Amino acid sequence: QAQLAESGGGLVQAGGSLRLSCAASGLTFRNYHMGWFRQAPAKEREFVAALNWSGSIISYANSVKGRFTISRDNAKNTVYLQMNSLKPEDTAVYYCAAVGGDRPILSRPYDYWGQGTQVTVSS
């Protein structure tokens, strides 16, 4: 059973930083591209960032470019999302997801999803 477990969410003031982590188990981590998505209560799920199996190909949503950084540590089976200069509009549940490495990193739908972690940015 493939499992993704997010952590690191919380409450932060605007302009602050958080680092989210996603620990993967039950799959061969290096065989999967990884992505981060988010969903606010009254909005649809939206793409945030993704990277390929090795971390050599990376894509970001325009809304987070220059502020967020996605990375992965294949030795630890973990993907990260470093979030800087946070804004109230970044408030959402953030989800980690995995898609098979034989597909483009922006493929839809992704194969596996975590349970989500709440990020709240106050003004």
Side-chain angles (χ1 to χ4, degrees):
Q1 41 139 328
Q3 207 163 3
L4 304 176
E6 303 96 333
S7 62
L11 175 64
V12 65
Q13 192 176 103
S17 298
L18 286 173
R19 187 168 87 149
L20 306 183
S21 298
C22 172
S25 61
L27 54 78
T28 303
F29 189 66
R30 66 178 179 84
N31 289 345
Y32 289 84
H33 309 314
M34 302 298 298
W36 288 96
F37 298 78
R38 67 187 183 186
Q39 186 171 19
K43 295 183 178 180
E44 296 294 312
R45 182 187 63 190
E46 65 176 347
F47 168 78
V48 176
L51 80 179
N52 74 332
W53 70 272
S54 68
S56 62
I57 301 173
I58 299 176
S59 183
Y60 294 101
N62 288 333
S63 59
V64 306
K65 284 182 179 177
R67 300 189 298 121
F68 291 10
T69 302
I70 188 172
S71 62
R72 67 190 294 162
D73 186 339
N74 286 347
K76 296 182 178 180
N77 289 355
T78 301
V79 62
Y80 304 96
L81 185 68
Q82 178 67 46
M83 305 184 295
N84 298 326
S85 301
L86 282 162
K87 305 174 181 180
E89 50 262 47
D90 295 319
T91 295
V93 177
Y94 283 71
Y95 296 93
C96 175
V99 65
D102 58 330
R103 299 161 60 191
I105 64 171
L106 299 182
S107 294
R108 301 291 187 274
Y110 269 48
D111 296 324
Y112 304 110
W113 295 83
Q115 80 286 353
T117 185
Q118 177 71 48
V119 172
T120 302
V121 184
S122 65
S123 59

